[in-house]
């Protein structure tokens, strides 16, 4: 694939430029895939973005000594030093070479677990076990699995039948999975595999990256993959309400002179940091700039807890007093324990142990703070109503579907806000890479952008993205210019994003059909032929066909592809109310995911017959049908 020696030579040659190469977007000194891509280019090893991301994943598995999921400069240098040993060099090259066999689902799972079987975080396992035990303690379907013991490997065994994973997805994002589709009794290897497919495809639909995980990995309980997936699912739930359109009291975090649209561009992590600092400022304590180094002494947490604890002001609200007697303890671990005893008074002793606080574990401390925010935000929406209420509408279901699709493919950085996060087109270029539209990365301006002229560089990127769409991808982009993407014009941005999603979906079908081009007519013809062969009475004339609102053509098609997957008693066929149609749609989408179709569409898309999303549903089912034949 590439020579370690060549990289070492290149690193030596460019060592004076390393500081430049490894400047992270937020100037915090982490290696990003863009910098690595540049480095490989200079070593005469130009690699497409998705290959670089695979290498980054591998390097993280080997070098991430502080388990924060990122590579800092010291960690990267340490791997380079190790590579100089021939044995390590051989094994590293061997594991990278194995990565060539990547497929859309589960291609690198063996590699991922092999590279990380000794490096999973015991702290994360303990934290996740306790969180799941608490979240699902009253669920009758989980009684045979809970409570799990945090100190042994029961987590990995308990997730093996897929039920817990499905339940955790619904806990984080309610109604993602129709409970009727989960196999709960008399489980066999086949029905367990169905549950795990349902969990993986549903996790994908809520924006989790699952491209390198297969149901077999979860059944075998491979720790690194299980914990990675669980963290993504838990984070979706923790961050769900840390968003201004869902929690208008966050407006209180506006800095002086700051516009609301600037605050709305912040990620949940950035909002949490600002929330903590808002309360620390009120307490007269110094600000923090991270959830690792700055919280190790627990003192910021003491002040945060004191600010957010109920004061007994509200109706029926009892005051909770935070005891500061441990604040001055000279021992960091003891001080952390005393602080967590205070958090326990708020019902928030979750995710961290005293050791995790003192070690500054960024992932678990972030989760601890997010849980505090969700339980006691202690914010009041300012009385000033001069804000543009249109900004507070929140994303549409269509926008969320597109965003989840992008994130599930592993784009970097994570897309929190569809329009502002696409304003420099870097995400678009990665999606071009994944849909086989050739990107000349030398032509792309990369972060960090200079304060002066930075936006101009982003617009240049957007112009190039539109040009690629028109010339290489042959998209219909009439009237779309780079500045439309840069400014986040909703209609025009969605036009480009939809064509990317469509191309991605059709590529999968084309691959299954030996490279034959696929279009709407071919999909509709295949659907009707498959339904007729299975003696079904339903058919569709187009993706706008009104009969699709009942979901019966979808359910019949699933039954034709995978007999016995649909339970007839769950489907209503006559005199359908809106509620009946919605229930059919929920069931259809969950069963489709359960038989292996990676569907991003929502039940409403079927009920309201949204032709674009309807097309993706039938295309994914066609892919599943063709795969079965192969």
């Amino acid at each position: 694939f590439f020579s370690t020696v060549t990289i070492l030579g290149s690193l030596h040659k460019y060592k004076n430029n390393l500081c430049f190469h490894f400047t992270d977007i937020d100037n915090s000194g982490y290696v990003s895939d863009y910098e690595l891509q540049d480095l490989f280019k200079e070593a005469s090893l130009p690699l497409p973005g998705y290959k670089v991301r695979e290498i980054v994943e591998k390097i993280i598995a080997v070098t991430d000594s502080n388990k924060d999921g990122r590579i800092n400069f010291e960690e990267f240098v340490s791997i380079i030093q190790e590579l100089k040993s021939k044995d390590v060099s051989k094994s590293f090259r061997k594991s990278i070479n194995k990565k060539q066999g990547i497929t859309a689902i589960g291609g690198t799972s063996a590699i991922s677990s092999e590279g990380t079987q000794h490096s999973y975080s015991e702290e994360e396992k303990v934290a996740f076990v306790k969180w799941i035990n608490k979240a699902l303690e009253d669920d009758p379907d989980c009684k045979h699995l809970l409570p799990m013991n945090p100190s042994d490997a029961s987590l990995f065994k308990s997730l093996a039948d897929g039920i817990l994973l499905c339940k955790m997805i619904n806990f984080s994002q309610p109604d993602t999975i129709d409970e009727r589709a989960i196999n709960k009794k008399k489980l066999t290897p086949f029905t367990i595999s169905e549950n795990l497919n349902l969990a993986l495809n549903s996790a994908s639909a809520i924006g989790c990256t699952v491209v390198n995980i297969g149901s077999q990995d979860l059944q075998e309980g491979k720790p690194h993959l299980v914990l990675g997936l669980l963290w993504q699912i838990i984070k979706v739930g923790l961050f769900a309400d840390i968003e201004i359109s869902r929690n208008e009291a966050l407006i209180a975090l506006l800095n002086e002179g700051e516009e609301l649209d600037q605050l709305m561009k912040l990620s949940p992590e950035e909002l949490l940091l600002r929330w903590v600092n808002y309360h620390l400022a009120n307490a007269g304590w110094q600000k923090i700039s991270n959830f690792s180094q700055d919280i190790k002494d627990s003192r910021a947490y003491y002040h945060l807890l004191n600010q957010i604890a109920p004061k007994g002001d509200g109706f029926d609200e009892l005051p909770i007093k935070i005891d500061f007697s441990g604040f001055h303890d000279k021992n960091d671990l003891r001080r952390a324990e005393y602080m967590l005893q205070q958090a326990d008074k708020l019902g928030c002793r979750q995710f961290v142990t005293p050791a995790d606080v003192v070690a500054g574990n960024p992932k678990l401390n972030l989760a601890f703070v997010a849980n505090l925010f969700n339980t006691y935000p202690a914010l009041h929406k300012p009385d000033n109503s001069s804000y543009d209420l249109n900004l507070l509408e929140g994303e549409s279901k269509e926008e969320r579907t597109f965003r989840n699709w992008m994130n599930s493919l592993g784009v970097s950085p994570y897309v929190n806000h569809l329009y502002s996060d696409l304003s420099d087109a870097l995400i678009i270029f990665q999606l071009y890479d994944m849909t086989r539209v050739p990107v000349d990365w030398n032509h792309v301006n990369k972060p960090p952008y200079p304060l002066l002229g930075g936006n101009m560089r982003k617009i240049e990127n957007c112009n190039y993205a539109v040009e690629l769409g028109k010339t290489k991808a042959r998209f219909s982009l009439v009237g779309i210019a780079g500045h439309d993407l840069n400014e986040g014009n909703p209609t025009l941005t969605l036009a480009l994003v939809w064509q990317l999603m469509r191309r991605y979906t059709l590529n999968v079908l084309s691959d299954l059909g030996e490279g034959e081009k696929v279009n709407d007519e071919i999909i509709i013809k295949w659907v009707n032929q498959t339904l007729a062969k299975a003696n079904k009475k339903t058919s569709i004339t187009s993706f706008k066909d009104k009969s699709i609102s009942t979901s019966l053509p979808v359910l019949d098609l699933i039954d034709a592809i995978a007999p016995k997957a649909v339970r007839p008693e769950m489907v209503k066929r006559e005199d359908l109310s809106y509620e009946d149609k919605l229930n059919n749609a929920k069931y259809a989408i969950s069963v489709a995911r359960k038989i292996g179709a990676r569907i991003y569409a929502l039940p409403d898309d079927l009920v309201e017959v949204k032709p674009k999303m309807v097309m993706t549903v039938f295309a994914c089912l066609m892919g599943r049908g063709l795969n079965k034949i192969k």
Side-chain angles (χ1 to χ4, degrees), residues 24-134:
D24 191 45
I25 292 166
D26 59 3
N27 294 317
S28 60
Y30 294 99
V31 181
S32 80
D33 42 15
Y34 306 120
E35 280 86 36
L36 275 180
Q37 195 161 30
D38 278 355
L39 186 63
F40 290 146
K41 275 196 194 114
E42 295 196 39
S44 302
L45 294 160
L47 298 173
Y50 70 95
K51 291 279 187 216
V52 176
R53 282 186 293 282
E54 286 156 18
I55 294 165
V56 170
E57 180 190 300
K58 184 68 210 174
I59 293 175
I60 284 177
V62 177
T63 64
D64 186 17
S65 54
N66 62 1
K67 303 288 176 286
D68 65 351
R70 300 182 291 185
I71 318 165
N72 64 29
F73 184 72
E74 289 75 19
E75 286 170 339
F76 193 84
V77 170
S78 77
I79 187 69
I80 297 308
Q81 297 305 323
E82 281 188 45
L83 283 174
K84 289 178 181 173
S85 122
K86 281 185 184 171
D87 292 345
V88 179
S89 173
K90 273 183 199 160
S91 63
F92 187 78
R93 184 159 61 239
K94 186 176 160 196
S95 52
I96 292 289
N97 280 339
K98 278 193 188 173
K99 274 191 163 285
Q100 283 178 290
I102 284 181
T103 55
I105 304 169
T108 58
S109 49
I111 308 308
S112 302
S113 57
E114 178 190 308
T116 56
Q117 59 192 354
H118 302 302
S119 64
Y120 78 85
S121 161
E122 186 68 25
E123 297 83 8
E124 282 175 31
K125 184 201 76 177
V126 170
F128 298 167
V129 165
K130 289 178 177 175
W131 182 249
I132 295 167
N133 282 344
K134 188 178 179 201

Side-chain angles (χ1 to χ4, degrees), residues 92-248:
F92 187 78
R93 184 159 61 239
K94 186 176 160 196
S95 52
I96 292 289
N97 280 339
K98 278 193 188 173
K99 274 191 163 285
Q100 283 178 290
I102 284 181
T103 55
I105 304 169
T108 58
S109 49
I111 308 308
S112 302
S113 57
E114 178 190 308
T116 56
Q117 59 192 354
H118 302 302
S119 64
Y120 78 85
S121 161
E122 186 68 25
E123 297 83 8
E124 282 175 31
K125 184 201 76 177
V126 170
F128 298 167
V129 165
K130 289 178 177 175
W131 182 249
I132 295 167
N133 282 344
K134 188 178 179 201
L136 303 177
E137 63 186 347
D138 297 325
D139 191 316
D141 297 324
C142 301
K143 286 278 183 260
H144 65 299
L145 300 167
L146 300 180
M148 295 176 283
N149 183 347
S151 57
D152 62 22
S154 56
L155 169 68
F156 307 115
K157 295 188 184 80
S158 299
L159 290 178
D161 68 8
I163 295 175
L164 266 191
L165 270 175
C166 289
K167 296 283 187 174
M168 279 309 293
I169 287 167
N170 273 353
F171 179 77
S172 280
Q173 196 89 333
D175 288 332
T176 301
I177 295 174
D178 187 326
E179 289 263 340
R180 297 173 296 172
I182 305 173
N183 301 317
K184 297 173 183 173
K185 290 178 182 150
K186 295 179 183 168
L187 295 176
T188 65
F190 178 73
T191 56
I192 285 171
S193 179
E194 281 189 328
N195 279 350
L196 292 166
N197 279 333
L198 174 58
L200 282 170
N201 289 324
S202 301
S204 187
I206 62 171
C208 300
T209 307
V210 299
V211 283
N212 289 342
I213 311 174
S215 58
Q216 193 63 30
D217 299 315
L218 299 177
Q219 227 164 325
E220 291 169 13
K222 292 181 177 171
H224 171 64
L225 296 175
V226 168
L227 292 177
L229 177 61
L230 264 183
W231 168 239
Q232 291 186 76
I233 293 167
I234 289 169
K235 195 160 72 162
V236 165
L238 287 173
F239 285 1
D241 289 329
I242 306 174
E243 212 249 298
I244 294 171
S245 61
R246 298 181 70 156
N247 195 335
E248 289 182 21

Side-chain angles (χ1 to χ4, degrees), residues 21 28 137 269 334 366 440 507 580:
H21 280 305
S28 60
E137 63 186 347
E269 292 93 331
R334 271 203 310 268
L366 175 69
D440 177 1
N507 276 354
D580 294 329

Side-chain angles (χ1 to χ4, degrees), residues 62-63 68 117 138 240 250 290 360 402 432 438 443 470 503:
V62 177
T63 64
D68 65 351
Q117 59 192 354
D138 297 325
L250 283 162
N290 54 61
F402 286 140
Y432 278 145
H443 207 85
K470 287 177 178 172
R503 183 184 172 99

Side-chain angles (χ1 to χ4, degrees), residues 10 79 96 145 215 283 288 322 375 461 536 549:
S10 136
I79 187 69
I96 292 289
L145 300 167
S215 58
I288 63 168
I322 300 300
T375 316
N461 281 354
K536 302 293 181 188
S549 73

Side-chain angles (χ1 to χ4, degrees), residues 263-331:
L263 189 68
M264 295 196 71
K265 288 176 184 173
L266 297 184
S267 67
E269 292 93 331
E270 290 166 327
L271 280 171
L272 277 177
L273 198 58
R274 193 175 285 203
W275 173 71
V276 173
N277 284 329
Y278 168 86
H279 285 302
L280 292 180
N282 288 340
W285 192 252
Q286 67 257 33
K287 288 185 174 182
I288 63 168
S289 57
N290 54 61
F291 293 119
S292 48
Q293 194 64 35
D294 292 1
I295 50 79
K296 286 180 172 185
D297 66 3
S298 302
R299 292 194 167 109
Y301 281 158
Y302 261 109
H303 285 292
L304 174 63
L305 293 171
N306 195 41
Q307 288 294 312
I308 66 175
K311 305 294 181 279
D313 305 335
F315 178 70
D316 264 4
E317 181 185 82
L318 291 171
I320 297 175
K321 184 164 171 46
I322 300 300
D323 179 359
F324 265 70
S325 59
F327 183 85
H328 296 292
D329 195 295
K330 288 190 168 54
N331 181 290

